[in-house]
Amino acid sequence: MTASEQKTLKRFYKDATVAEHDGAFQIHLDGRTIKTPAGRALAVPTRALADAIAGEWNEQGEIIAPHSLFFTRLANSAADAVAPRKAEVVDEIASFAASDLLCYRAPFPAALAARQAELWNPVLAFIRDRYGATFEVAEGVGHVAQPPTSLDAIRNAVAAYGPFRLAALHMMTTLTGSALLALAHVDGYLDLAATWAAAHVDEAWQAAQWGQDFDATERLKRRSDDFDKASRFFALA
């Protein structure tokens, strides 16, 4: 039975355990291997990640709550969606760098422009030093073409990751709107809080000027939680 088939099921197993198989790690429910929605036996590259997935299943109550199976869902995505089309996923992440959040600055107000520069310029400098990739910065939203050599450098860096880390990196990129921020985070240059703050300079500035919107704040909190979990998944993988 696949994880996706268990959306409304009562807990039907006693224990989730981990077993090594052919150099990877499977998660078993009472000895039966968890399968992905595509029917593959779910096998992850590290014991640490497998333990985290097993932990999600062991923490379930009488009713299985799919939303609480974050690592399982991301591992399924890595196995079913990323591994078979790795080049496409690499290109998707690289496409963010081609029009990266960090490269488009507010022309005004001056305070917002200064805050963007304060948080974003050091990241661009890190990316330049780390990958030899220089990115052009412009005011407004008109497209600015980035050097092909810089985009190639980012694409090559992303392509070096296996499907499980790539799945997590893809999620972090989409949640922040920036491949460069995601890379700066996984490289250890920015911690979780600094990455999220840099990704949401505009929202923080708007909230400071006009006050917080409850619904928007709740949405950001859920997205921030997902970013934190994706970061942990990347580290465990």
Side-chain angles (χ1 to χ4, degrees):
M1 183 173 292
T2 69
S4 64
E5 293 172 329
Q6 297 155 5
K7 293 180 180 178
T8 59
L9 290 182
K10 292 183 178 180
R11 180 165 174 162
F12 58 92
Y13 59 94
K14 181 178 180 181
D15 294 309
T17 56
V18 173
E20 186 171 3
H21 181 75
D22 290 339
F25 298 87
Q26 296 180 347
I27 300 86
H28 293 172
L29 303 180
D30 291 344
R32 297 179 60 193
T33 304
I34 291 179
K35 293 188 177 181
T36 70
R40 298 178 173 88
L42 182 58
V44 300
T46 68
R47 177 76 190 221
L49 180 56
D51 284 342
I53 294 172
E56 290 182 327
W57 289 90
N58 282 324
E59 290 168 3
Q60 296 298 306
E62 293 184 4
I63 302 296
I64 294 171
H67 70 274
S68 66
L69 296 170
F70 181 94
F71 288 166
T72 304
R73 289 185 283 113
L74 192 51
N76 284 339
S77 177
D80 286 348
V82 178
R85 49 184 288 270
K86 179 179 176 180
E88 294 177 47
V89 176
V90 169
D91 284 344
E92 287 176 18
I93 296 173
S95 72
F96 276 84
S99 56
D100 206 87
L101 169 72
L102 305 191
C103 299
Y104 296 87
R105 308 297 176 87
F108 58 84
L112 174 57
R115 182 61 173 161
Q116 289 175 339
E118 177 187 359
L119 294 186
W120 294 352
N121 287 355
V123 179
L124 292 179
F126 170 79
I127 293 295
R128 180 196 64 217
D129 295 342
R130 174 72 173 83
Y131 297 106
T134 301
F135 284 82
E136 302 294 332
V137 174
E139 290 185 348
V141 296
H143 179 70
V144 55
Q146 299 297 345
T149 55
S150 295
L151 297 178
D152 286 344
I154 297 303
R155 183 178 285 102
N156 291 338
V158 171
Y161 292 118
F164 286 85
R165 281 193 156 182
L166 198 58
L169 184 65
H170 185 275
M171 176 171 282
M172 287 186 279
T173 298
T174 58
L175 287 170
T176 59
S178 171
L180 305 184
L181 279 177
L183 284 172
H185 172 63
V186 300
D187 282 333
Y189 179 72
L190 295 176
D191 64 16
L192 286 167
T195 306
W196 197 248
H200 296 88
V201 175
D202 291 9
E203 291 89 342
W205 189 88
Q206 292 287 349
Q209 301 306 305
W210 311 110
Q212 291 188 339
D213 175 87
F214 177 78
D215 290 339
T217 299
E218 287 299 301
R219 285 193 297 272
L220 276 178
K221 176 62 168 60
R222 289 192 294 270
R223 289 169 63 83
S224 175
D225 289 344
D226 284 347
F227 181 86
D228 292 358
K229 291 172 185 173
S231 174
R232 184 170 174 235
F233 185 103
F234 183 96
L236 292 173

